[in-house]
Each structure stands twice: as C-alpha cells, then as structure tokens.
Amino acid sequence: MKSSSARGRAENDVSAVATAARAEPVSHGTDVVIVVPCFDEGKRLHGEPFLACASALPRVRFLFVDDGSRDDTRVVLDALRARAPAVVDVLPLETNGGKAEAVRRGVLQALGGLPYAVGYWDADLATPLDELGRFVELLERRPEVVMVMGSRVALLGRDIRRSPLRHYLGRLFATAASWVLGLRVYDTQCGAKLFRADAVREGIFDIPFATRWLLDIEILQRLLRVRGALGSGEATAGIHELPLEAWRDVRGSKLSGPQMLRAAIDLLRLAARPSGT
Ligand SMILES: Nc1nc2c(ncn2[C@@H]2O[C@H](COP(=O)(O)OP(=O)(O)O)[C@@H](O)[C@H]2O)c(=O)[nH]1
Ligand SMILES: [Mg+2]
C-alpha cells in the first residue's frame, strides 16, 4: 500500500501530466481536411476540381462522406479515391442520416488524423474550391480566428449568382438566425466553412446535432458556448465571415419547400434553447 505522501505525489504527477496535456495543443499537423457530405450526388459530383485544388494546395485532403446514397455516388467516389488515394478518402455510411450527421461523422474522423484545420464544403461546389486558399490563409494570418465562414455578399466586382427568391428567403432566415444567436452574422447557411482543428476538438462535433439542416447555426451556438461568448452581444469569439469572390446556385438542390418549412420550425426550437445544449 502506498503511503499518503507517495499517493499525494503520484496524484500530483497525474494531475501535472493532465494539466500539461490540456495546455499543449494537440494538433501539430499541417493538413487541411475538407469533409464533403454527399447524398445522391452521382450526377453532380465531378472529381477534377477537387484534384486540381489538392495539387494547387498540397496540404489539402478531401474526405467524402457517402450518406447512404441510393444512386451510384459510392461508385463515383471509389473511382475518385482510386485515382488519388493520397488526397481523397471516403467514409461510407450505410443509412441516410442527413447533412448535419454526415458532416459531424466526417469531421470526427478527420480530427483523428490531427490536422491543422478541418472544414466542410458542399459537393455541388456552389462555392468554388478556388476560394479555399483564402480560407486557409486567413486562419494562418489571424491566430485569434478559429472559424472561417463563406459569406455570399453581392458586392460590386464579385460574382455572386443567387436566385432572387433564394436570396430574399436567405436574408429573412439570416436575420432570424442572428436573433437566435445574438450575433450579427450575415450568412449562416453558405456550405463552405473551415475551423482551426484545436478549437473544435471538444464540445462542437462530439454530440449529434438536434436538427437536420441547421448544423451551421448549432455549430455557432456551441462555439459561442464553449468560448464563453454566448449572449455577449458584440463578441465574435474568433468567428470570421469571409465575403466570397464567387458563388452560384447549382441545380439539383435537395432543400425542398417542406424542408425549408422544417428548417424554420427547427430555428424556433433552437431559439427555445439558446444555450446550444
Ligand atoms: N449527407 C447528406 N448530405 C446531404 C443530404 N442532403 C443534401 N446533402 C448534401 O448537402 C450539400 C448541400 O446540399 P444541396 O442539395 O446542394 O442544398 P442547398 O444548395 O443548400 O440547397 C451537398 O453536398 C449534398 O450532397 C443528406 O440527406 N445527407
Ligand atoms: Mg447546393
């Protein structure tokens, strides 16, 4: 049996190690892993832009999550991985669980590889991958930034092509989302986001999201909570919106009228539990 002083020393040692482990950032990697959720994307998914992006930005890898697709998405993805196994990986999920869960599962797998940054990007490339370099550069230049969000602002000189109906519905939604979050955010729903891996290792992706389409808002809620900035008004908590140079509506969206209604109801549900838990 250990003496109480020996036990005390051992406990101190353990807690010193635990403190050191907490203080030391876990991620030492340089990889940037982009999760691409795919549901029935066999027709819309084209490999070339992904491979071109990975050659232009050698740190970038793609993790495609096939979310129980009913078409030939899996075949298309397997062929892409066979062409470039060093930069393409595939996470097959047997049953369709929705974009939020597919992204979450992909991000958790990506974090296991200790990357520098992890993000998600819609498979239809409505946000062109040419934009990704600016996302990574921003994380590197601004150490206080932990999340970069693509933002579709139709400024002069940009090429943001959004149908008027979707634009105005989007503005309405963004205004409601800002109110729910207590954060002046312009565009929560753009499908291009990048995170500093250390900042999202805990508390953001560990637990399934409560809604099917509002993962972006739930992530913001969780990030604000983890960073102690929930309800603090003007605090941006290291969240940065990056106005895109280009964005276009791509045909074949799976977000239908009933699903938009569902999203609006879900937003009210999130408003009812603003702590994001
Ligand atoms: N995993 C998963 N992804 C989905 C689902 N529905 C859509 N997605 C993906 O989410 C992204 C955006 O979908 P999209 O239909 O373009 O929606 P929108 O452009 O936001 O209206 C794409 O990468 C889709 O493959 C789904 O049920 N499961
Ligand atoms: Mg789309």
Side-chain angles (χ1 to χ4, degrees), residues 44 122 124-126 166 247-254:
R44 290 202 306 179
D122 282 355
D124 59 8
L125 298 185
R166 280 204 153 214
W247 191 91
R248 68 200 166 94
D249 262 324
V250 176
R251 290 161 70 94
S253 162
K254 294 173 195 73

Side-chain angles (χ1 to χ4, degrees), residues 127-208:
T127 310
L129 282 169
D130 302 347
E131 298 276 356
L132 179 56
R134 291 201 300 136
F135 281 58
V136 178
E137 189 268 335
L138 192 101
L139 275 192
E140 288 189 320
R141 185 165 44 84
R142 302 270 301 270
E144 79 283 10
V145 172
V146 297
M147 174 182 187
V148 185
M149 309 169 55
S151 188
R152 297 163 290 183
V153 194
L155 301 169
L156 287 178
R158 315 279 167 123
D159 185 15
I160 308 293
R161 293 187 224 169
R162 215 171 168 196
S163 82
L165 177 66
R166 280 204 153 214
H167 170 76
Y168 289 112
L169 284 176
R171 295 312 317 135
L172 205 65
F173 190 83
T175 306
S178 292
W179 169 71
V180 169
L181 291 164
L183 189 71
R184 263 193 318 181
V185 51
Y186 183 83
D187 183 5
T188 53
Q189 298 312 105
C190 175
K193 307 269 187 323
L194 189 69
F195 306 86
R196 193 179 295 283
D198 284 339
V200 295
R201 205 167 284 291
E202 278 169 24
I204 315 293
F205 292 97
D206 344 32
I207 304 167

